[in-house]
Amino acid sequence: MIIQNITSALMQMNLEAKIPITFGILTTDNIDQALQRSGLKVGNEGSSTAQSLLEMISLNDQLN
């Protein structure tokens, strides 16, 4: 329920904001999965989310 409310609020903020807004949440079953997704072997999911945001900001600048 919380994630649904957060997603709805972020969607509304994206519709009203002048810059893109993103968020990333790791959904893991255990600490090992969390460590792997935060950069050990699989790659850093937070870094991927940040890179996507920077690309969206750049595209937004180009369109405006």
Side-chain angles (χ1 to χ4, degrees):
M1 184 71 166
I2 290 176
I3 194 69
Q4 184 178 15
N5 291 337
I6 292 170
T7 302
S8 294
L10 287 172
M11 182 179 62
Q12 190 62 39
M13 289 170 62
N14 269 301
L15 292 171
E16 296 173 6
K18 298 195 184 300
I19 61 169
I21 300 167
T22 62
F23 76 111
I25 296 175
L26 290 178
T27 54
T28 61
D29 294 322
N30 55 51
I31 190 72
D32 187 53
Q33 283 182 348
L35 291 171
Q36 296 305 320
R37 293 181 189 172
S38 64
L40 291 182
K41 291 184 181 177
V42 179
N44 189 319
E45 295 298 325
S47 177
S48 297
T49 300
Q51 182 64 39
S52 296
L53 176 60
L54 293 173
E55 290 173 11
M56 289 172 58
I57 290 171
S58 177
L59 178 61
N60 190 46
D61 287 346
Q62 292 173 26
L63 294 173
N64 293 325

